[in-house]
Amino acid sequence: MKRTGQLKLGAFFHPTGHHIASWLHPGAQIDAGTNFAHYAQMTQAAERAKFDLIFLADAVATRDGNLEALSRWPQYMAFFDPLMLLAGLAAVTQHIGLVATATTSYNEPYQIARRYASLDLMSGGRAGWNVVTSGNASEAYNFGRDAHYGHSERYQRAGEFVDVVKGLLDSYDDDAFVRDRASARYFEPEKLHFLNHHGTHFNVRGPLNTARPPQGYPVLFQASASDTGKDLAAQIAEVLFTPLHDLEKAKAFYREVKGHAARFGRGPDDMLVMPGLNVVVGATQKEADEKLEYLQTLIHPAVGKELLSNALGGVDLTDVDIDKPLPDHIISPEDRKTNPRFSYLFKEPLTVRQMYERYGAARGQRTLKGTPSTIVDQMQEWFEGYGVDGFLIQPPVLPLGLTEFIDQVIPELQNRGLFRTEYTGRTLRENLGLKRPASRYAQAPAMAGAI
C-alpha cells in the first residue's frame, strides 16, 4: 500500500557541523559553541523552512583521551548548556520545536521536570527532551562518583527517572489555576497532587512548583540501539533517533520497534522513527562528491584515530597503521557483523583512514550526497517504504550546510508534497501528530496530599 502523509524533519545542530573536521571549513562559524547569534540565526532559518524542530545534543563533561587529538577536535569541549540556549531561542521563534538532551544519570528528576516544564511554558508548547543515560563515562567524575553506572543500572534508573518526571509534571491539574480575585482563590487545592514516589533509585515527594505545561509532557526522544535501550524506547520514546544505514534493515527495525511498543499498550502512531541524515548537496553528483572529499582531507590523523577508537568502544589504536585494514584482533567477528553502531564499517575492506573518514562524515549516522533530486529520491524511498517517519538532518558544516539544504532540498520536498509549506499545529506535539498525554490523575478523584 502506497504511503501517504508527509515527512517529519528536525535540524540537528552540532555547533560547527556534524563532520569531524567541520570547524576547519570556511563555511563554519568557528566560535559556534559560544555564539548565541549563530544559533538564533540558524533556528530562525529552520523555522522559515517549516522544520518541525531543532535538536541539541549534550554531555556534562569534556572528552577524555589524547589531548593532542582533542586540541584539534572542539566538539563537546566548549559549548552552551542546551536548555539555557533553548530558553533564549524560544524568545526569538514562534513555531519550531525546541529539543535538547538531558541525562538521567547525572541529574535529578525534580530539576529536569521543572526545567522542561518551564521551557514548554515559555515557548507555548514546543519543548522536547532527548532522554539519555550518558555515553561519556567521564561525566561520573564531575558528580562525585569514581565510575560510571553500569549499563543495566543506567537504564533501570532512566525508566524510573522518566516516570518520576511525568508524575511531577502532573502535580497540578490542567485547570487548577483559577486566579480569581473575586474569591481570592489562586488555585483549587484539590487539584494539586503530591507524588510521594518511593522507588529503587529515587524518593521524591513533590509537588512540582510549576503549572502543568501546554503539552502535558515534553515530547520524549530516545536514541539507544542496544537491546536494553530499545526496550526503554518501546516504553517511553515518542521519537526514536537511531543510526540506520540500510533500507531493508531500516524496514525491519521500524516493524520491530513499533511492534515492541504495542506490547506496552502503544499504537504505531505513538512513536516516530527519525534517524540522522547527513546531507551533502551539490548542483551535480560530482560537486557533492568533491564537497565531501574536501572535508575528508581536513581530518587530522590523530583526530581520526581518536574518533574511531571512541566509535569502536574505546579500543587502542595508538600503533595502528591508518593506511592498512584494522587488525583482526581489535574487533571480534561477531561485533563486526552485528554491532548496530559500527557494523556498516565492516561491510567492505577499508583501511583505518577510510573507516574514520566514513564514520567522521556524520558521527555514525548515514551520509547521503548528491543533487537535490537524487537526495529527495532517497528520502522518499525510505519514507514510502516504511523505513522511517522522517529524519534529523545533520548538516556537515554549519551554517553553510543548513542554508544549502533549505535553499535546495526543501523546495524539492515541498514540490513532491512530501513536506509542509506551513505549520498546521500550535505545539510540537501537534506538528508531529502526537497525542497530548492526559494527567495520571485525570480519571481518578482528585486528592490533595498532606505535608
Side-chain angles (χ1 to χ4, degrees), residues 53-353:
L53 58 100
I54 66 162
F55 183 100
L56 303 176
D58 193 29
V60 286
T62 59
R63 294 183 186 275
D64 279 341
N66 181 338
L67 272 178
E68 170 62 23
L70 295 176
S71 71
R72 303 174 185 274
W73 182 14
Q75 292 173 337
Y76 290 114
M77 299 304 286
F79 61 110
F80 290 118
D81 178 307
L83 278 171
M84 293 288 289
L85 177 56
L86 290 184
L89 296 174
V92 296
T93 56
Q94 292 182 313
H95 303 285
I96 197 163
L98 305 168
V99 183
T101 292
T103 176
T104 59
S105 297
Y106 303 109
N107 278 300
E108 290 293 325
Y110 195 95
Q111 295 170 304
I112 293 300
R114 193 179 188 208
R115 289 171 185 168
Y116 279 98
S118 297
L119 178 62
D120 208 49
L121 287 157
M122 291 166 64
S123 65
R126 296 186 281 137
W129 171 25
N130 180 36
V131 180
V132 302
T133 66
S134 290
N136 184 350
S138 302
E139 294 182 15
Y141 309 141
N142 295 331
F143 293 88
R145 292 180 60 89
D146 295 327
H148 197 15
Y149 293 96
H151 188 269
S152 295
E153 184 181 6
R154 293 206 316 268
Y155 280 94
Q156 290 166 5
R157 177 185 167 98
E160 185 179 340
F161 191 113
V162 172
D163 187 58
V164 174
V165 167
K166 288 180 176 180
L168 288 168
L169 291 170
D170 290 338
S171 292
Y172 283 101
D173 290 348
D174 289 317
D175 59 351
F177 291 91
V178 292
R179 299 183 178 97
D180 183 13
R181 288 191 174 109
S183 64
R185 177 78 69 190
Y186 198 79
F187 69 88
E188 296 180 359
E190 68 274 13
K191 294 183 178 181
L192 171 64
H193 308 279
F194 286 70
L195 183 61
N196 291 318
H197 174 88
H198 300 285
T200 303
H201 301 279
F202 303 104
N203 290 302
V204 182
R205 189 198 71 168
L208 193 67
N209 56 349
T210 57
R212 193 163 194 260
Q215 295 187 109
Y217 311 142
V219 176
L220 297 180
F221 287 63
Q222 219 266 330
S224 179
S226 69
D227 288 341
T228 308
K230 283 192 283 190
D231 190 63
L232 178 65
Q235 296 179 60
I236 69 162
E238 295 174 290
V239 181
L240 194 57
F241 166 50
T242 297
L244 296 170
H245 295 270
D246 175 271
L247 178 54
E248 292 308 312
K249 288 185 177 178
K251 290 178 181 179
F253 176 83
Y254 188 93
R255 292 191 298 269
E256 176 195 1
V257 74
K258 294 209 174 190
H260 193 21
R263 295 186 351 219
F264 294 93
R266 305 179 67 201
D269 295 333
D270 293 335
M271 176 192 289
L272 303 174
V273 177
M274 293 177 63
L277 189 64
N278 176 55
V279 176
V280 183
V281 59
T284 64
Q285 184 65 51
K286 184 173 183 291
E287 182 183 304
D289 291 340
E290 289 172 349
K291 282 183 176 181
L292 183 56
E293 287 167 9
Y294 171 65
L295 276 166
Q296 304 293 47
T297 68
L298 300 179
I299 303 176
H300 192 281
V303 173
K305 290 172 77 170
E306 188 73 9
L307 168 74
L308 190 60
S309 171
N310 290 340
L312 298 177
V315 297
D316 184 4
L317 302 179
T318 305
D319 298 322
V320 167
D321 187 334
I322 65 173
D323 291 314
K324 292 183 179 179
L326 190 73
D328 290 343
H329 69 275
I330 290 182
I331 298 293
S332 71
E334 179 65 19
D335 270 352
R336 288 172 184 244
K337 290 180 181 178
T338 62
N339 190 296
R341 295 203 175 276
F342 56 71
S343 60
Y344 74 98
L345 296 174
F346 294 94
K347 284 187 173 181
E348 57 186 294
L350 298 175
T351 65
V352 170
R353 185 194 300 272

Side-chain angles (χ1 to χ4, degrees), residues 393-414:
I393 302 303
Q394 302 185 178
V397 177
L398 287 169
L400 177 63
L402 177 67
T403 300
E404 292 177 338
F405 187 88
I406 288 172
D407 290 348
Q408 299 177 55
V409 180
I410 290 288
E412 182 69 17
L413 287 166
Q414 291 172 331

Side-chain angles (χ1 to χ4, degrees), residues 377-388:
D377 285 345
Q378 287 282 308
M379 295 173 72
Q380 183 170 5
E381 182 182 13
W382 278 55
F383 175 67
E384 292 183 349
Y386 291 91
V388 299

